[in-house]
């Protein structure tokens, strides 16, 4: 997904990034044209004008191509985590406000690439094996949120509740926003407003 975040990129690194992005672009096009289940790695490689071996330098299988943005999401989450204040987060409201900020960081990253997100959403909704992986990824984020809160002195019961509620807000946004990444960001933000009883909150803040 990320295309403008390589300020000190060498020529070799730039070529590798461009090759990876080309594979993703071609694969997503083929998945929409013909269906994820019937497209093969060989077809992706041929359309991308690379060898099969080159494909496997970047991805272990075609499922991994669908989830190629996960590194960007984790990077955005880790950056947001580093901005968490050092003071303890002991109550549920503090925990939820922190979890809200972390979730919106991920949603904002997705909203930077609306076309790719749209294809991703359509594929996940259509193919059970992709939906299963998406759900497992979502649970992983819940675990990361929980651990982060506990690391900031949140009592375990509150940390677990806050992380699970945060994922519920995301799942509501996923359903309401459907394949529009900007709408998902907005709906996730609105879900927290409803939950916390707060005035409308600008996700860009």
């Amino acid at each position: 997904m990320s295309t403008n975040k390589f300020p000190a990129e060498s020529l070799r690194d730039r070529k590798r990034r461009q090759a990876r992005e080309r594979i993703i672009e071609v694969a997503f096009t083929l998945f929409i044209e013909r269906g994820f289940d019937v497209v093969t790695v060989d077809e992706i490689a041929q359309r991308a004008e690379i060898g099969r071996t080159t494909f496997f330098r970047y991805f272990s299988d075609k499922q991994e191509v669908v989830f190629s943005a996960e590194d960007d999401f984790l990077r955005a989450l880790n950056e947001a985590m580093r901005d968490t204040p050092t003071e303890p987060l002991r109550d549920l409201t503090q925990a939820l406000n922190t979890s809200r900020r972390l979730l919106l960081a991920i949603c904002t990253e997705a909203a930077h690439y609306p076309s790719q997100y749209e294809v991703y959403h359509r594929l996940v909704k259509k193919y059970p094996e992709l939906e299963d992986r998406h759900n497992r990824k979502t649970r992983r984020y819940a675990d990361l949120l929980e651990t982060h809160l506990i690391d900031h002195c949140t009592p375990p019961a509150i940390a677990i509740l806050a992380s699970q509620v945060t994922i519920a807000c995301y799942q509501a946004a996923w359903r309401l926003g459907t394949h529009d990444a900007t709408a998902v960001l907005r709906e996730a933000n609105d879900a927290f407003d409803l939950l916390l009883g707060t005035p409308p909150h600008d996700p860009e803040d």
Side-chain angles (χ1 to χ4, degrees):
M1 267 189 177
S2 301
T3 57
N4 297 313
K5 298 170 183 173
F6 301 85
E9 202 175 30
S10 68
L11 177 61
R12 180 174 179 272
D13 287 342
R14 184 165 68 252
K15 287 183 176 180
R16 286 178 58 83
R17 172 175 58 81
Q18 290 171 342
R20 184 177 184 274
E21 290 174 350
R22 174 64 177 162
I23 293 169
I24 296 168
E25 178 184 2
V26 164
F28 274 36
T29 299
L30 284 170
F31 294 154
I32 292 300
E33 286 178 356
R34 304 187 56 241
F36 174 82
D37 50 350
V38 299
V39 172
T40 67
V41 168
D42 287 337
E43 288 177 290
I44 296 170
Q46 183 178 10
R47 177 80 70 91
E49 298 181 336
I50 60 171
R52 179 183 174 90
T53 301
T54 300
F55 175 94
F56 287 116
R57 288 193 193 126
Y58 297 95
F59 302 101
S60 61
D61 56 30
K62 63 181 184 178
Q63 260 202 32
E64 195 171 304
V65 181
V66 176
F67 293 88
S68 58
E70 187 165 3
D71 286 345
D72 289 327
F73 295 155
L74 289 172
R75 174 191 49 74
L77 177 61
N78 287 329
E79 289 177 358
M81 284 179 171
R82 286 195 292 271
D83 291 336
T84 300
T86 56
E87 53 265 22
L89 305 171
R90 299 194 184 279
D91 63 47
L92 182 59
T93 299
Q94 289 176 312
L96 286 173
N97 281 327
T98 295
S99 295
R100 172 187 196 154
R101 182 174 56 81
L102 300 181
L103 175 61
L104 294 182
I106 298 173
C107 293
T108 298
E109 182 66 24
H112 288 158
Y113 307 92
S115 297
Q116 188 167 327
Y117 181 86
E118 178 180 354
V119 176
Y120 171 81
H121 191 282
R122 292 184 187 280
L123 291 171
V124 167
K125 293 297 289 183
K126 185 173 182 179
Y127 296 99
E129 66 269 36
L130 299 180
E131 185 172 30
D132 177 68
R133 182 163 175 170
H134 171 82
N135 290 336
R136 285 186 282 115
K137 182 185 71 172
T138 301
R139 288 195 295 271
R140 180 188 179 195
Y141 289 139
D143 291 342
L144 291 172
L145 290 173
E146 178 186 324
T147 298
H148 181 71
L149 291 172
I150 289 174
D151 287 345
H152 284 75
C153 302
T154 304
I158 293 178
I160 292 170
L161 177 59
S163 63
Q164 294 301 317
V165 168
T166 298
I167 295 306
C169 288
Y170 168 71
Q171 290 171 333
W174 168 267
R175 292 183 61 183
L176 292 168
T178 63
H179 55 269
D180 183 338
T182 301
V184 172
L185 171 60
R186 183 181 65 250
E187 294 292 351
N189 196 57
D190 289 350
F192 272 98
D193 284 339
L194 289 171
L195 181 69
L196 296 170
T198 55
H201 179 85
D202 185 350
E204 296 298 324
D205 289 347

